[in-house]
């Protein structure tokens, strides 16, 4: 595997992937000692099917999760989800288990805590990610490999969204392991799916307007990576990348960060201008992308220093308040507010 693609986060601690207390650790050791099968085949310490399922998991969940878990236990779907998590340890069953678990993301609200607090599951996800690095350069990612890793990324998105796992997800620096996927330029469907799904994980982090997530991302290379995709990516990846930049700008610290230096401001504004020019020249009706672009411009105009510069560098096509290519009424309102902030009539 090329070292070029292996990212080890700064201050990384291997025990940050699975956070358990000393008491829980002793519990696992005692439970594993009672098992006839080797410990490496276990995910949940002392797991056996109902009725002991709740007992073996509840020690690893927060008090809030325990109450939720009591209600969740009544759902017959729980047993199936746990079986899929257990099957992740079996290399022959892992691909199918990943696919089935990914399908449960929206229908099973407790999936994220179960994944995070099950011993070894996050390590398995990182192992699956690391295997893909060697296929990035030269570009040799097959559709089957792309589909498998996208199932993993879908589960990471679940962890990034859930209120009980988001902070742990950030403290483990797991988003950094996805950045090599965002740094690819191959336009094949396999690579585009990889980029879009990776962006979806980052998008899940910023979707909740969590200052902790924004502060974390600002300390990484996510903004340059998103700007590159916004400039040269395909339709869906450009849209998600622009959404991420928009959410960073909507945070006060994010806006101040981008407007702090001319280099950062111009890097963002020039990419936004390129995207507007592309949409206008191609006459492509992409209202969703346009919505994110206009919102980024409006937010930049709310910074006094950036607003003064933006008067000169706003694309000419946006200086006309009667532009017909803006069809959404909310976006039209944002556009008018943008022109008012810049004193453009």
């Amino acid at each position: 595997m090329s070292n070029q693609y292996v990212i080890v986060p700064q201050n990384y601690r291997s025990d940050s992937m699975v956070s358990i207390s000393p008491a829980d650790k002793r519990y696992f050791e005692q439970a594993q000692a009672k098992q006839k099968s080797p410990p490496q085949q276990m995910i949940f310490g002392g797991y056996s099917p109902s009725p002991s399922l709740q007992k073996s998991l509840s020690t690893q969940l927060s008090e809030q999760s325990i109450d939720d878990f009591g209600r969740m236990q009544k759902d017959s779907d729980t047993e199936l989800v746990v079986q899929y998590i257990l099957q992740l340890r079996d290399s022959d069953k892992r691909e199918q288990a990943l696919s089935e678990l990914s399908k449960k993301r929206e229908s099973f609200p407790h999936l994220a805590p179960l994944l995070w607090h099950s011993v070894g599951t996050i390590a398995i996800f990182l192992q699956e990610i690391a295997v893909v690095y060697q296929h990035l350069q030269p570009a040799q990612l097959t559709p089957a490999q792309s589909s498998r890793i996208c199932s993993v990324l879908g589960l990471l998105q679940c962890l990034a969204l859930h209120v009980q796992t988001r902070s742990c997800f950030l403290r483990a620096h797991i988003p950094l392991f996805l950045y090599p996927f965002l740094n690819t330029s191959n336009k094949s469907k396999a690579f585009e799916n990889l980029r879009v799904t990776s962006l979806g994980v980052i998008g899940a982090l910023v979707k909740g307007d969590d200052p902790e997530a924004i502060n974390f991302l600002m300390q990484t290379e996510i903004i340059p990576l998103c700007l590159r995709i916004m400039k040269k990516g395909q339709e869906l990846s450009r849209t998600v990348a622009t959404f991420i930049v928009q959410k960073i700008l909507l945070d006060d610290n994010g806006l101040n960060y981008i407007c702090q230096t001319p280099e950062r401001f111009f890097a963002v504004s020039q990419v936004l201008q390129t995207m507007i020019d592309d949409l206008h020249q191609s006459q492509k009706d992409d209202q969703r992308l346009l919505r994110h672009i206009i919102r980024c411009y409006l937010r930049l105009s709310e910074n006094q220093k950036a607003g003064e510069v933006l008067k000169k560098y706003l694309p000419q096509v946006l200086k006309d308040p009667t532009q017909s290519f803006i069809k959404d009424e909310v976006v039209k309102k944002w556009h008018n507010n943008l022109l008012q902030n810049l004193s453009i009539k």
Side-chain angles (χ1 to χ4, degrees):
M1 185 184 302
S2 172
N3 292 335
Q4 173 181 4
Y5 293 104
V6 178
I7 294 181
V8 179
Q10 291 182 353
N11 302 322
Y12 176 81
R13 295 170 63 246
S14 60
D15 60 351
S16 64
M17 287 188 290
V18 179
S19 178
I20 60 176
S21 66
D24 289 336
K25 183 177 180 181
R26 289 193 296 272
Y27 171 83
F28 293 138
E29 292 172 348
Q30 293 169 2
Q32 288 176 345
K34 297 177 182 179
Q35 301 299 318
K36 296 181 180 180
S37 56
Q40 63 266 25
Q41 295 180 0
M42 299 296 297
I43 288 186
F44 301 112
Y47 170 79
S48 60
S50 299
S52 62
L53 173 61
Q54 180 175 350
K55 179 180 178 182
S56 56
L57 287 178
S58 62
T59 57
Q60 302 174 65
L61 302 176
S62 67
E63 292 181 1
Q64 180 181 353
S65 296
I66 294 174
D67 293 337
D68 293 339
F69 187 82
R71 293 186 292 270
M72 181 182 67
Q73 173 71 2
K74 299 176 182 179
D75 189 345
S76 60
D77 218 20
T78 303
E79 197 74 26
L80 183 60
V81 168
V82 170
Q83 289 294 340
Y84 286 140
I85 295 177
L86 288 170
Q87 289 173 11
L88 293 174
R89 298 293 286 179
D90 188 333
S91 59
D92 294 331
K93 298 179 180 179
R94 184 179 300 169
E95 184 172 2
Q96 179 66 21
L98 287 170
S99 177
E100 295 298 331
L101 285 170
S102 184
K103 295 175 184 177
K104 297 288 186 182
R105 286 181 296 157
E106 296 183 3
S107 62
F108 195 82
H110 302 278
L111 179 59
L114 285 178
L115 290 173
W116 186 264
H117 293 286
S118 56
V119 178
T121 299
I122 304 303
I124 289 172
F125 290 166
L126 295 180
Q127 179 185 10
E128 289 288 318
I129 290 171
V131 167
V132 177
Y133 291 159
Q134 61 188 314
H135 302 296
L136 301 182
Q137 185 65 35
Q140 297 174 335
L141 189 67
T142 66
Q145 290 168 333
S146 178
S147 177
R148 177 166 174 156
I149 191 60
C150 283
S151 293
V152 175
L153 295 174
L155 295 173
L156 293 185
Q157 182 175 339
C158 175
L159 294 169
L161 273 173
H162 201 284
V163 64
Q164 293 183 25
T165 54
R166 185 188 300 120
S167 292
C168 297
F169 188 81
L170 290 171
R171 288 198 297 269
H173 292 186
I174 291 178
L176 299 186
F177 291 93
L178 309 185
Y179 287 8
F181 300 158
L182 301 179
N183 201 30
T184 60
S185 57
N186 188 286
K187 296 186 179 298
S188 70
K189 185 176 180 180
F191 276 88
E192 175 65 2
N193 289 342
L194 182 64
R195 281 189 294 271
V196 170
T197 315
S198 299
L199 286 168
V201 178
I202 309 301
L205 285 173
V206 300
K207 189 175 182 180
D209 299 319
D210 185 349
E212 181 185 6
I214 300 297
N215 290 334
F216 171 85
L217 292 174
M218 286 192 301
Q219 297 174 35
T220 72
E221 292 298 306
I222 192 60
I223 294 177
L225 287 171
C226 283
L227 292 177
R228 177 183 176 182
I229 294 172
M230 289 162 63
K231 186 175 182 179
K232 299 182 179 180
Q234 300 181 48
E235 180 178 346
L236 186 53
S237 58
R238 292 179 86 187
T239 301
V240 182
T242 309
F243 168 77
I244 293 169
V245 172
Q246 171 192 319
K247 297 298 282 188
I248 292 175
L249 281 168
L250 289 176
D251 181 88
D252 288 341
N253 288 334
L255 177 64
N256 292 335
Y257 175 82
I258 289 178
C259 296
Q260 188 175 25
T261 67
E263 291 79 12
R264 293 174 190 165
F265 168 78
F266 281 110
V268 174
S269 64
Q270 287 173 2
V271 169
L272 293 175
Q273 180 174 354
T274 298
M275 297 172 76
I276 286 291
D277 291 341
D278 288 346
L279 289 175
H280 183 65
Q281 293 171 8
S282 65
Q283 297 296 310
K284 190 169 185 178
D285 186 17
D286 191 339
Q287 294 297 309
R288 183 169 56 169
L289 179 57
L290 185 61
R291 178 186 184 91
H292 296 316
I293 296 173
I294 298 298
R295 191 65 186 91
C296 286
Y297 269 125
L298 176 58
R299 183 58 171 160
L300 286 172
S301 72
E302 294 171 0
N303 179 279
Q304 183 177 2
K305 183 167 57 176
E308 290 297 322
V309 180
L310 205 56
K311 289 181 182 180
K312 179 178 180 181
Y313 289 95
L314 188 71
Q316 189 64 37
V317 67
L318 291 183
K319 293 182 178 180
D320 182 357
T322 63
Q323 277 299 333
S324 59
F325 73 96
I326 302 177
K327 299 178 181 179
D328 187 286
E329 292 301 322
V330 173
V331 181
K332 286 182 180 180
K333 182 178 179 180
W334 290 346
H335 181 220
N336 289 331
N337 291 343
L338 168 64
L339 297 182
Q340 290 174 8
N341 289 350
L342 301 182
S343 300
I344 298 177
K345 298 181 180 180

